[in-house]
Amino acid sequence: MRLPFAKYEIYMQRLFYKLGYLIGLKPWCFVYSLISLTIISSLGFLRFKQINNARVTFTDSEAPSRYEGRVVEEFLQQNGTLYMIELLISAADNGSLLRPQHFFQLSQFADEVTNRLKIYDENSKNFLGFRNFCHPYCQKNDPFFAVMKMFEQNVTSVELTYPMMEIFGEKVFIGNNFYRITLDPFSKRLMNFRTVLLHFFLVYTDSQMMGKWENELVQLCYESGRFDLLRPLVGSDNLVAKEVKKLGTSTAPLLAVALVALMFFLFICSFRSTFNESKPTEAILGGLIPILASVTTVGLVSAGGLPFQSIVVSTLFLLLAIGIDDVFIMLAAWHRSDKEQKIPQRIAQVVQEAGCSMMITTVTNVISFGNGVLSTTPVLQTFAIYSTVASIICFIFQLLLFPAILAINEQRRGDNEKGICFNSLPKRIEFINQLSKFHDWFFRVLIEFVCSWWMKVIVFLFLMFYWTLSLDGVFKAKSELGIQHIAPSNSKISLFKREYELVVKKMQPLAIVIQTPGDLRNATIFRRLKELIQSFESEQFSYGRNSTFCWLFGYEEYLRFYDSEFEEFSYIYLPDFLDSSTNEHFKGTIKLNERACREDSPQCVQSFLLTTGFTNVSYYNEMYPVIEKWRAIAQRFPEFSVISYTERHNYADQSANLPDVIWQTLWSEVICMGISFVIFILDTLSICAGLFALISVNLGVFGFLTLWGVQINPISMAALLMSIGFSVDISAHISYHYYETKAKTSKERLEITFLHIGWPTIQGAMSTLLAMVFILLKPSYLGIVFLKTVFLVVLFGLLHGLVVLPVFLSLFASFQKSSR
């Protein structure tokens, strides 16, 4: 039954017919215009820039951790750019680091990094090392060096208790430096350690120089071979960014391989039973159109100022697949056009028939990716914007440029009856003729199957089994985010992260920033501040007071030492406290106004940072409940404007938010797709069948991806956005042509539909899979996820488009007929 507003479709068909006629009359005008557009758009590459910071791009821009991380970073960076590097050192055989030779190499290595590792600065003509970059955090690793010195000198006068030891009356926290430890069960004295973690906070005006120093550190750790008894591993956001960049740079060259394979596929599929009807030249030229569309897309988006991200490389693969799919559709429409008509009329018929079908798939792709544009996760938003623009550009280029190529080559073919490039070949290809007969026989047999009652039973049983497995996968889906989804498993940063998560689980620092300390001379405020710190120390998984590093407690003891009658807090002595050699390591944790301190004014302490340890939790999905408890504590003390933060906050937030985001996206996609079906397929039967296939295919893709080992993260979400758009294509083509067919019975309509669009649909699906399969040559998590998604979309899309959808169309038609 057709919907009452179906008349507008006539106007759309007329518009496409007039456009096609104009292309047939003046094809060169369209060729020159679109090539000129590509050249002009390529100027946008002058503004091309790339961003690869996974902590920023993979985290929801509205997540609390974005603000928390910004507050901590602004506090720590002082007068330059903050650059944090962590160095994890274990014995090569994973044994004790206190063995004499291992201990000697560890001491030499630490001294090399902190004192002798230098780079040359062309601007200042000086060699720069860690000491030039570290202020005010040069003492960050002093507890490590103090312990190393005591072990080296066999000092017995100091108790090396863990995680806090006392040196000359000053408490020193060593828990952030020593891991895989052995303690004396009675005295808690540190007896042995197998892993050391060193923290380097670099602050400098030129981030490139800090990057060069990090490169030297990486070379020393992984390539020098000078410390063969040790296994040093380096980690930083910059190293993660390099791996994110490699996602694109290592995968992009495969585009050329995929293009060659698709060209060959197009070349083979372009032949017909007679050479006059074969279009190998046109097919190859049509396959180059997505390249023009890709250049135009990246140029236009770059001109708009949006940074390129590695995940966009997958968009370029998809653009190849979409473009090739359109070539198959238009070639099929060309072969069905009236051969007695002149070229402009034939081109008009091609654009009229193929244009409507191509527009359906383009609109569904734009709707699918358009939902992602609204995402607050930068990497998803960037992928969606590039994919949306690419879908529109590819549609315009294929709709205008490929018919122009057909018209130009057909004019030349008319001037030379023996055709172009095939003068010496026979006019008829018997093998292709036999394949053509097989094509017709196959689809007629398939129609007989799908219209039979027993096939309906088989399809029903298959769907029950398929939906059961899919739902099982859906319910097993969980958020999983980490470096393993960005870098290869054997990369340096992956090795660091795996080791790091295992090692630091026993002791990790939580940074707490007090942005508005208030007047600490007020006893009530001072007591509330201590209560705040105690709340963090007593929360679940906290290591307690022994793990807290805060200037406040040391300053209290300092006041008591110099003022035996100390009763009230005073700011006057705070600068002297921080200038003393035993307390200067606190300088980087407090922002002072020294003049206000001398006046005993509360403006003395503008803000400060403290850390406390937590234990036995490290994975992102485990972290989120703990992080929420920390945030709840901060909210109980609003007067201090408290921010708590760890390096896991960003990813933990994303892991928690992704399930809700993905369900909202999926439901909104289905609703939008339903609207697009109503607009383009003005028949209730075809709309219901198409929506059914859409929901079923995407349920299967989502569920089976989980069963295949792909969990919820931004990369899999981008792949699902793509799958929704692609899964509609096959069903939309079948539904639209079924709706357009004028035959009386459902069986006849299905037969005409399959004979017209069945093989081009299969060709499009095969080309989509072929475009992605070459990712296996250089597999990455990004590529593998998209390849798995494409495989499932193609498999389930073809099953639904060629079997399930026709079964339901014929079944619904039977119900309609019996109800009359």
Side-chain angles (χ1 to χ4, degrees), residues 5-16:
F5 50 90
K7 288 185 178 180
Y8 92 92
E9 183 195 18
I10 299 172
Y11 299 107
M12 185 173 65
Q13 290 178 344
R14 287 176 182 173
L15 178 64
F16 279 123

Side-chain angles (χ1 to χ4, degrees), residues 85 87 109 113 117 213-221 234:
I85 303 172
L87 183 57
F109 179 73
V113 173
L117 186 67
W213 187 83
E214 181 186 56
N215 291 338
E216 290 297 314
L217 175 61
V218 169
Q219 194 277 334
L220 175 67
C221 292
V234 186

Side-chain angles (χ1 to χ4, degrees), residues 7 25 76 132 194 297 300 345 388 442 540 551 581 599 619 701 800:
K7 288 185 178 180
L25 283 178
L76 293 175
N132 301 103
R194 292 187 294 151
T297 297
L300 286 175
Q345 283 85 357
T388 301
F442 172 78
Q540 185 183 18
W551 65 273
S581 58
E599 297 173 356
Y619 297 108
V701 172
H800 282 74

Side-chain angles (χ1 to χ4, degrees), residues 13 17 29 31 222 433 553 647 679 726 753:
Q13 290 178 344
Y17 185 90
C29 292
V31 172
Y222 296 109
N433 186 48
F553 306 127
E647 61 94 17
I679 293 174
F726 269 30
T753 298

Side-chain angles (χ1 to χ4, degrees), residues 139-209:
Q139 289 77 35
K140 189 73 177 173
N141 297 305
D142 279 3
F144 162 78
F145 289 106
V147 171
M148 291 291 289
K149 186 175 182 179
M150 290 176 187
F151 273 112
E152 182 180 8
Q153 298 178 357
N154 196 24
V155 175
T156 58
S157 60
V158 177
E159 283 292 324
L160 287 174
T161 54
Y162 183 92
M164 192 79 72
M165 72 175 186
E166 190 170 303
I167 303 178
F168 305 120
E170 295 292 332
K171 291 184 177 180
V172 178
F173 182 66
I174 64 174
N176 286 339
N177 291 117
F178 296 95
Y179 293 88
R180 289 174 174 169
I181 59 173
T182 302
L183 299 178
D184 183 283
F186 301 105
S187 65
K188 300 299 180 183
R189 175 182 170 83
L190 181 64
M191 305 297 294
N192 202 350
F193 56 89
R194 292 187 294 151
T195 300
V196 166
L197 181 61
L198 300 180
H199 309 270
F200 299 97
F201 284 17
L202 312 184
V203 181
Y204 199 64
T205 53
D206 187 352
S207 59
Q208 289 186 346
M209 297 308 298

